[in-house]
Amino acid sequence: MSTKLYSYLFFFFLLSSCSTHKVSKPSSALKPTFNVVEDSLNLVDVSRKRSVPVALYMPKSDKKIKHQKVVIFSHGYYQNRGGSNKAYSYITEKLATEGYFVASIQHELPTDDLIPTSGVPQIVRRPFWERGAENIHFVINELKKTNPDLDFKHTILIGHSNGGDMSILFAHKYPDLVDKVISLDNRRMPFPRVNHPKLYTLRSSDQVADEGVLPTSEEQVKYGITIIKLKNTIHNDMDNNANTAQRKEINDYILKFLE
């Protein structure tokens, strides 16, 4: 074989190799992360004569974020303590860094009655869940007025404990207004057995849901409901009490479900 022909063949081989080689882009190039802007609203539901404070966590961006999804977060019960809607900032801030518009609702006010500690929870606590579901409904409607470009067709609810019960009740009452619901260890309000909205729950290692709240194995398969057991996280460590490892595990599961 002549030297000239060998050179041509070698050059052709190099071209072929280059055309089929795929260079993996770093994940940051595929999906940027954002700095977080925090704000607060003190909305007033005139029809119910009720103040509804809201903490906002938003991605800071010079450009409009297309198809930006909305997350409505509902805190657990803190005996009407103010600022409860900021007690899960490791979740709400993380979601904002990923491009989500997050509204965390303060459900209880100092003037509200405390939740009863005796009686059948599904009966004595139901009015509090109803109020929470209506808070969520009100905030979504208010955000639609002020932020019409957000993707409300794929609204996401996340709630811990009592806030999880509110979120699950909302899925019963307004299934067409929510796309996905994530319960962080709600224990009382039974899950709707439906294919939509999509339901997902992270369960603590120390608390057990009441009978009938969680779907059976067969129902999980039938309706596509996902249940994840957190072996190293107790119920009361799902807010900002969570340590670094717990925070990462919970956020990783949430973001995976939201993909």
Side-chain angles (χ1 to χ4, degrees):
M1 182 182 296
S2 67
T3 301
K4 188 174 182 179
L5 179 58
Y6 179 84
S7 298
Y8 278 132
L9 291 173
F10 182 71
F11 180 69
F12 179 77
F13 171 78
L14 287 177
L15 286 177
S16 300
S17 299
C18 290
S19 64
T20 58
H21 181 63
K22 296 182 179 180
V23 179
S24 299
K25 296 181 180 180
S27 58
S28 59
L30 297 175
K31 186 176 182 181
T33 55
F34 302 89
N35 292 325
V36 179
V37 177
E38 296 184 22
D39 199 357
S40 60
L41 301 172
N42 190 22
L43 303 174
V44 177
D45 186 346
V46 177
S47 66
R48 295 185 297 152
K49 299 180 181 179
R50 182 171 183 82
S51 175
V52 185
V54 180
L56 299 178
Y57 300 84
M58 302 164 288
K60 183 178 181 180
S61 177
D62 296 330
K63 298 180 180 179
K64 179 181 176 181
I65 301 175
K66 295 181 179 179
H67 310 297
Q68 186 179 15
K69 295 181 181 179
V70 179
V71 176
I72 306 295
F73 196 95
S74 296
H75 60 81
Y77 184 55
Y78 291 94
Q79 296 184 325
N80 302 3
R81 188 181 76 197
S84 302
N85 58 338
K86 299 180 180 180
Y88 300 78
S89 57
Y90 79 94
I91 297 175
T92 52
E93 290 179 5
K94 178 62 175 178
L95 289 168
T97 68
E98 296 291 325
Y100 293 92
F101 184 103
V102 185
S104 185
I105 301 173
Q106 178 70 38
H107 285 288
E108 283 88 35
L109 305 176
T111 54
D112 290 337
D113 292 335
L114 295 175
I115 287 180
T117 56
S118 61
V120 179
Q122 287 78 3
I123 297 175
V124 299
R125 297 186 183 185
R126 179 67 182 242
F128 297 85
W129 303 337
E130 291 280 358
R131 184 180 66 200
E134 292 312 308
N135 286 344
I136 294 171
H137 189 251
F138 169 70
V139 169
I140 290 174
N141 284 335
E142 291 300 300
L143 291 177
K144 285 181 177 179
K145 298 175 186 176
T146 57
N147 299 270
D149 293 334
L150 294 175
D151 181 6
F152 290 100
K153 292 182 180 180
H154 299 93
T155 298
I156 300 152
L157 303 187
I158 303 177
H160 176 228
S161 191
N162 196 58
D165 288 320
M166 296 174 184
S167 301
I168 294 297
L169 176 59
F170 188 94
H172 280 278
K173 297 183 67 174
Y174 304 107
D176 295 336
L177 298 183
V178 61
D179 185 51
K180 293 181 178 180
V181 180
I182 301 176
S183 160
L184 304 179
D185 217 32
N186 79 297
R187 299 173 54 208
R188 312 295 187 184
M189 186 68 208
F191 278 54
R193 273 54 171 179
V194 293
N195 294 110
H196 186 269
K198 300 305 295 182
L199 302 172
Y200 190 94
T201 183
L202 302 179
R203 313 305 302 177
S204 70
S205 61
D206 67 326
Q207 298 285 349
V208 179
D210 290 349
E211 184 177 356
V213 169
L214 298 177
T216 64
S217 299
E218 293 76 13
E219 289 172 332
Q220 291 172 48
V221 173
K222 180 178 180 179
Y223 299 110
I225 301 172
T226 301
I227 299 177
I228 300 293
K229 185 79 168 180
L230 302 178
K231 298 180 180 180
N232 300 309
T233 302
I234 64 173
H235 182 85
N236 289 339
D237 282 351
M238 299 181 90
D239 59 7
N240 282 348
N241 286 325
N243 61 35
T244 301
Q246 291 168 330
R247 293 181 181 205
K248 183 180 186 306
E249 181 179 38
I250 290 171
N251 277 331
D252 285 349
Y253 276 125
I254 289 174
L255 290 173
K256 183 175 177 59
F257 179 61
L258 298 183
E259 287 180 352

